[in-house]
Every structure is written in structure tokens, then in C-alpha cells.
Amino acid sequence: MSRDRIGIIGARGLVGTEALRLLAERRWPADQVVAFSTGGTGPPTVAASVAYGDEALPLQAISDETVRGVGWFIIAADEATSRRVVPGLLKNGAIVVDNSSAFRMDPSVPLVIPEVNGHALDGASSLIANPNCSTIILLLALNPLRKALGLESVHVATYQAVSGAGAAAIAELHEQSEAALAGRELPPAVFPVPAAFNVFCHESPLDADSGLCGEETKIIRESARIWNGSTVPIAPFCMRVPVIRAHSQVISVRLCRETTANEIRRLFASAPGLELLDDRENGCFPTPRKATGRDEVLIGRIRPSFGERCNESVGCRDWSFLVCGDQLRKGAALNALQIIERLGGLAPAGVGATASPNDIAV
Ligand SMILES: NC(=O)c1ccc[n+]([C@@H]2O[C@H](COP(=O)([O-])OP(=O)(O)OC[C@H]3O[C@@H](n4cnc5c(N)ncnc54)[C@H](OP(=O)(O)O)[C@@H]3O)[C@@H](O)[C@H]2O)c1
């Protein structure tokens, strides 16, 4: 199997579009990138194409002929599509990174954030699962604290962008916002309640016994897997906010050891994948708009959780901070691409300049 071609399945969706953008930034040649439609929205028309840098790639249907000779796949589609197409791709000898939740809890499939548990790729199977976007952003932020000081417990409140629910959710927020400003109310379709000018509980199904929603359960279970069966308790509370793109999280931790604010800043500043934005004097902290289009997860507003009860330069064990991360980049497409790069694929010709937020269409 030649490994110089990569296929993006679900190339018209938000994650698929972002994967193509990242490949184009890395100057991966257009004739080695294949854009696939899942067929979920009907067969692609002959004229259908997707943008690839300044070029256009024809959209292919998935068939024995079109997948032949493609060595790497990023799947950016729904769970059912992943379950349907993965066996055939693996049989062909391809290496597949799947963004859906179809295989995340399968013990034979590594669930990987390269900065956190990249070692899980050593001797990896041909199928690798990308964790949930909120899990990736949370664990990337916690990684330096966990390694250096140990974690006793974690609380996280999420403020998730609507694009986490796919392309249709962005359209819904736009339409509802315009209608609301014109004094009209449009009924919700993607979300159970209006998204415009609102904050609401994550729409994933609630478990009747635990009261957890699906997103909260994913964070808990995926974190334990990625942390190799860790029993550190994580208390997530997931919300949607009328933000187009990039998830925010307020994280509160109890550490195993006391530490100071400066030590925490130092750990975050030197951690791969994080960028410290913690300027109290000028009120400069992470926001989803600053995080949009960025590979790094922004982190800041670091303070002792119990404020005046702790002298932050003497030290304490309870700390809170804010993170904002582009869930379409590090939370999905970038993480998938980093896995492929770590497995030796797609040595970048000109590793990507980060896109400016103005280049981001969503
Ligand atoms: N959105 C996120 O923040 C995020 C983060 C992490 C993981 N994920 C996971 O990644 C997978 C893909 O998510 P997504 O957010 O990219 O979903 P999406 O935007 O809804 O796209 C998924 C599929 O919807 C169809 N589609 C979307 N926009 C379209 C358009 N403008 N025209 C025609 N068809 C369109 C495409 O089907 P065809 O292929 O048939 O054209 C596409 O493959 C899911 O499993 C999701 O759970 C998403």
C-alpha cells in the first residue's frame, strides 16, 4: 500500500473542510488528496467539488475503485458512516483516524491526543480514534499539571460553540439571530431550544440515573481511557453558548501538591499545544474569537479557586483557569493530522502557518 495519498471522508462538513485547510497549509500536493462524500446527503453530483487552497478537488463517492491506493484516511462523518466504511478501508490496508464516537471506547482502538498519550500509537492498530473535542481541549490543558503536580479532582464547566453540532447548527444560529433582531422567532431544528441570544444545556441525551448528558459522559469515560484507567474524578457540566466557533472551559482542579501561580504559569507556558494568555494588568485573557483558527489552545485567568483564602505566591492546591480552543482544529482535524504525522505520514512540505481568523469561513 502506497502511503502518499490521503482521503478525507465527509469533506463537505465542518471537520472535513478544516482537514483540507490544514493539508493545504502544509502544501500537501492536491493530486495526493482525495475528497469523499459520505453519501449521507445523497450522491455527489458530477460537478460537486471542494476547495483545496487555491484549487478545487472533485468530490468522490466511496467505492472500491475510489478508495483503492489511498493509504491514509481521516473520517469526518457521522458514527453510522464510520461503522459502515471502516472495515473496507482497513481491509484495503489503509490507516484510518476516525473523528466520530463509533470506536472511541473499543479497547483495541487507541484513543489518542499526541501530546498526552502519543505513546499509545507505538505499535498501534490501523484504526485510531480521535477523542471528543471537549475531552481533547480539557486534557491538553490538564496535561502539564497532571505530570508535574498530580491531580486529585477536576471540575469543568464548558461553554461550547454551536459548530460543535455541525454545519447545520451554524446556519441555524445565523438565521435565528437575524430573525430575532428583526423581532421574529424561528423555531429550533438542530437544537432543542433557540440558540440565538441564549445559553442552554448541551443537547446530547440525558442519562436518567446519573443525570449526566452524553457529552459529559464522553468527557469522563474518554479521559479515564486516555489517562490509562485513571480514577481521578472529573465533574463536567456542559453548556452551549451562541458562539460560532471555539469551545471555552472553566476548569477547577485540586492538585496533589501545593503550588504557586508563577509555577502554574511556567508549566502552561512550556507545555506543547498551549499558549499562555494571562495578562491581568491589561485584562487580556482567552476568548473563543482569539482561539478561532489557532492550533494552540489558549489558557489564562489563572487564580486560586478560593481567592482570598489563598496567598497565591505562597501556594495552595486549588486552582481555576480558563481555556479556549478551536474545536474544529485541535479538537478534531488537527489532532487527527498530528496522529497521522506521528505515524510517519505526510511529512509536511511547508508546515502550516496558522490561518488568520479572517480566513476562516465559518
Ligand atoms: N464539529 C465539531 O466541532 C466536531 C469536533 C470533533 C468531532 N466531530 C465529529 O466529526 C464528525 C463530523 O462532524 P462535522 O461537524 O464536520 O459534521 P457536519 O458539518 O454536519 O458534516 C458531516 C456531513 O454532513 C454533510 N454536510 C455538511 N455540510 C454540508 C454542506 N454544506 N453541503 C452538503 N453536505 C454537507 C456532509 O455529508 P456528505 O459527505 O454526504 O456530503 C458531511 O460529510 C462527526 O462525527 C462529529 O461528531 C465534530
Side-chain angles (χ1 to χ4, degrees), residues 64 82 94 111 147 184 187 241:
D64 290 348
S82 293
L111 181 68
K147 277 188 177 160
R184 291 180 290 113
V241 290

Side-chain angles (χ1 to χ4, degrees), residues 64-298:
D64 290 348
E65 290 75 49
T66 54
V67 302
R68 193 170 297 133
V70 181
W72 304 94
F73 280 91
I74 293 178
I75 307 185
D78 56 296
E79 212 179 308
T81 298
S82 293
R83 289 193 191 284
R84 178 167 57 84
V85 303
V86 160
L89 302 179
L90 296 181
K91 209 166 144 204
N92 266 357
I95 296 178
V96 180
V97 182
D98 182 34
N99 276 286
S100 83
S101 50
F103 303 100
R104 287 185 192 147
M105 297 313 291
D106 180 335
S108 68
V109 178
L111 181 68
V112 178
I113 307 168
E115 297 89 338
V116 178
N117 67 333
H119 55 83
L121 292 170
D122 300 342
S125 69
S126 305
L127 174 61
I128 300 103
N130 231 22
N132 170 276
C133 47
S134 297
T135 310
I136 293 177
I137 292 167
L138 175 67
L139 265 53
L140 195 68
L142 293 176
N143 197 40
L145 299 182
R146 180 170 181 263
K147 277 188 177 160
L149 302 155
L151 291 171
E152 198 172 292
S153 64
V154 177
H155 287 73
V156 55
T158 72
Y159 306 80
Q160 297 185 217
V162 296
S163 56
I170 298 180
E172 178 156 307
L173 178 58
H174 278 294
E175 287 159 14
Q176 280 178 358
S177 302
E178 280 171 18
L181 289 170
R184 291 180 290 113
E185 180 92 14
L186 283 184
V190 176
F191 296 115
V193 296
F197 305 102
N198 210 358
V199 173
F200 56 100
C201 296
H202 195 279
E203 68 283 357
S204 48
L206 290 181
D207 178 78
D209 295 327
S210 66
L212 293 165
C213 73
E215 185 84 349
E216 292 158 354
T217 304
K218 283 179 189 172
I219 292 174
I220 294 167
R221 293 189 181 160
E222 292 179 19
S223 299
R225 255 208 94 192
I226 294 163
W227 283 347
N228 206 17
S230 154
T231 53
V232 171
I234 300 183
F237 206 117
C238 293
M239 304 294 291
R240 286 264 185 224
V241 290
V243 163
I244 300 284
R245 178 166 168 159
H247 290 347
S248 304
Q249 300 180 348
V250 171
I251 303 173
S252 294
V253 293
R254 168 154 269 231
L255 301 170
C256 294
R257 288 198 280 119
E258 286 190 351
T259 193
T260 62
N262 279 344
E263 171 67 355
I264 291 191
R265 285 193 193 98
R266 194 187 60 74
L267 287 170
F268 285 154
S270 59
L274 296 181
E275 183 173 310
L276 183 68
L277 215 55
D278 195 40
D279 181 352
R280 287 185 186 174
E281 214 167 289
N282 297 299
C284 185
F285 303 115
T287 66
R289 288 177 70 143
K290 286 178 191 164
T292 292
R294 297 292 310 275
D295 287 352
E296 296 79 15
V297 168
L298 309 181

Side-chain angles (χ1 to χ4, degrees), residues 10 12-15 37-41 76-77 99-100 133 163-164 166-167 327-328 331-332:
R12 277 191 290 189
L14 294 183
V15 175
S37 162
T38 64
T41 47
N99 276 286
S100 83
C133 47
S163 56
Q327 94 287 352
L328 294 173

